[in-house]
């Protein structure tokens, strides 16, 4: 089978690999679409303790074409979305219901072969049947599952007002999830005019460029301030926009070595809550429900649909004109 392989930092090659076979309790999926994520960029750069060589890609949807022994409830020909998190189920974290913090954590496309290939093998419990979606739409189940976990961590109160920094693909998913989870208004801040326009089309109450006044929209501050940028400067600025009793959600992936200055007294005196959200935790069914019901729209987030041969330009996007402004890039291995 054709597969994209990161062999060393910033080195990607197309390889002909032996197609994997579904073992006991596993299914093999013929990949229809896999989304390119910021994590893939980090792995391409050799970060995240990348174990190379690696077939990356963890936002995976495709059709089951082989069912291993001992699998029930799944069959060949089913379109499925894959939860990439593979946990042991036995360790301290798993027993607490924190499977994405498994002490023996593995993940498709991160520590195991992923979806930038024609076929991928996954544990059967990680494959969720999809109804009424295309593979391209179903590939959003994983990032939207991460958003659903962020919403569970945040617990928005009905009628609250939110300020969101970042209108990239994950930010626009988070914005829509906030709105369907009881938040009355979401104001979005992003430097790219096209992304601000899209945010308004998808339901943002306001879309502002950095530096535009935001507290005019909420004179006493916002109930929720969230970031989907990974920018330390944004994280550092978040408390100033929060209302008393406000919640601050760090959702973007900042550099591991980054540090910010936050006033402990400010958090204490204004009853602020600082909340992190990592990966997804059994929330892929919630994501699929949002997608299948049409409550979360993803078609307008797709900017590129490329064959495997296009993955390198997506990962090295800074070196390829036209890719720097991309939203969600999907790799479709069946393309020629």
């Amino acid at each position: 089978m054709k597969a994209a392989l990161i062999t060393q930092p910033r080195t990607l090659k197309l390889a002909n690999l032996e197609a994997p076979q579904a073992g006991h309790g596993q299914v093999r999926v013929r990949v229809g679409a896999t989304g390119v994520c910021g994590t893939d960029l980090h792995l391409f750069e050799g970060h995240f303790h990348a174990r190379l060589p690696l077939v990356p890609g963890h936002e995976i949807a495709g059709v089951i074409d082989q069912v291993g022994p001992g699998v029930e409830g799944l069959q060949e020909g089913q379109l499925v979305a894959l939860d990439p998190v593979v946990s042991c189920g036995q360790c301290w974290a798993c027993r607490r219901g924190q499977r994405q913090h498994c002490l023996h954590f593995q993940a498709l496309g991160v520590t195991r072969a992923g979806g930038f290939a024609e076929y991928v093998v996954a544990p059967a419990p990680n494959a969720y049947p999809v109804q009424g979606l295309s593979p391209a739409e179903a590939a959003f189940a994983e990032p939207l599952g991460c958003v659903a976990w962020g919403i569970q961590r945040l617990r928005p109160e009905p009628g609250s007002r939110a300020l969101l920094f970042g209108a990239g693909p994950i930010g626009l998913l988070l914005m829509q999830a906030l709105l369907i989870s009881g938040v009355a208004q979401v104001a979005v801040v992003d430097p790219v005019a096209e992304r601000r326009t899209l945010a308004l089309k998808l339901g943002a109450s306001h879309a502002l460029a950095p530096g535009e006044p935001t507290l005019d929209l909420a004179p006493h501050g916002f109930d929720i301030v969230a970031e989907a940028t990974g920018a330390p400067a944004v994280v550092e600025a978040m408390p100033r926009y929060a209302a008393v009793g406000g919640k601050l959600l760090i959702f973007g992936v900042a550099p591991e070595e980054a540090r910010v200055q936050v006033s402990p007294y400010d958090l204490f005196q204004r009853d602020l809550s600082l909340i992190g959200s990592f990966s997804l935790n059994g929330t892929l069914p919630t994501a699929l429900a949002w997608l299948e019901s049409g409550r979360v729209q993803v078609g307008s987030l797709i900017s590129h649909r490329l064959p495997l041969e296009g993955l390198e330009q997506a990962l090295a996007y800074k070196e390829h004109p036209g890719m720097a402004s991309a939203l969600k890039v999907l790799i479709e291995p069946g393309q020629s």
Side-chain angles (χ1 to χ4, degrees):
M1 68 169 184
K2 287 195 302 183
L5 196 65
I6 301 174
T7 57
Q8 56 185 355
R10 296 196 58 79
T11 302
L12 184 82
K13 72 173 186 177
L14 287 181
N16 285 312
L17 305 179
E18 184 176 351
Q21 303 298 308
H24 190 275
Q26 297 180 325
V27 294
R28 187 175 74 177
V29 172
R30 185 174 71 250
V31 177
T34 299
V36 179
C37 168
T39 298
D40 300 311
L41 302 179
H42 288 296
L43 290 168
F44 180 63
E45 296 287 347
H47 303 154
F48 279 5
H49 310 290
R51 303 173 189 175
L52 306 179
L54 173 71
V55 177
H58 58 276
E59 300 179 359
I60 310 165
V63 173
I64 294 175
D65 83 327
Q66 191 180 87
V67 177
V71 174
E72 298 181 3
L74 295 172
Q75 57 191 12
E76 294 180 11
Q78 280 185 307
L79 176 63
V80 294
L82 298 182
D83 182 338
V85 175
V86 181
S87 57
C88 73
Q90 302 296 319
C91 72
W92 172 84
C94 287
R95 289 179 182 273
R96 288 165 54 94
Q98 297 170 319
R99 57 190 296 272
Q100 82 278 34
H101 295 290
C102 174
L103 300 184
H104 308 286
F105 174 88
Q106 294 192 50
L108 303 176
V110 180
T111 65
R112 295 186 178 190
F116 293 137
E118 292 182 293
Y119 297 94
V120 63
V121 163
N126 290 56
Y128 290 81
V130 174
Q131 300 292 330
L133 299 174
S134 67
E137 293 166 326
F140 281 86
E142 192 279 340
L144 190 54
C146 296
V147 166
W149 179 240
I151 294 294
Q152 284 193 32
R153 297 275 296 137
L154 186 62
R155 299 184 183 275
E157 295 181 10
S160 54
R161 289 188 291 184
L163 177 65
L164 171 63
F165 291 91
I170 198 72
L172 293 172
L173 291 177
L174 178 57
M175 182 200 76
Q176 294 181 74
L178 286 166
L179 289 169
I180 64 178
S181 299
V183 174
Q185 294 182 333
V186 181
V188 174
V189 179
D190 195 276
V192 182
E194 292 80 5
R195 295 186 177 190
R196 296 197 298 270
T197 298
L198 182 54
L200 291 170
K201 289 180 180 178
L202 291 172
S205 60
H206 302 80
L208 309 169
E212 289 191 64
T214 56
L215 290 182
D216 293 349
L217 310 177
H220 300 291
F222 292 86
D223 304 300
I224 293 168
V225 182
E227 69 82 30
T229 66
V234 170
V235 173
E236 192 166 85
M238 288 168 66
R240 77 178 67 149
Y241 299 100
V244 169
K247 299 176 180 179
L248 311 175
L249 177 65
I250 299 177
F251 195 79
V253 182
E256 289 184 63
E257 68 278 7
R259 299 291 183 270
V260 299
Q261 289 188 327
V262 176
S263 166
Y265 181 81
D266 191 32
L267 299 179
F268 152 76
Q269 195 271 334
R270 295 201 292 131
D271 279 332
L272 300 182
S273 299
L274 183 61
I275 300 167
S277 178
F278 172 69
S279 189
L280 70 167
N281 184 16
T283 45
L284 200 128
T286 300
L288 283 175
W290 285 343
L291 291 168
E292 291 171 348
S293 67
R295 299 295 301 279
V296 172
Q297 296 290 315
V298 297
S300 58
L301 305 185
I302 302 171
S303 61
H304 295 75
R305 300 172 70 164
L306 304 173
L308 274 173
E309 290 78 3
L311 177 60
E312 184 173 11
Q313 72 182 70
L315 295 177
Y317 68 96
K318 295 179 182 178
E319 301 162 17
H320 295 270
M323 293 301 297
S325 60
L327 280 170
K328 176 55 74 175
V329 177
L330 295 179
I331 301 299
E332 297 176 321
Q335 279 196 49
S336 57

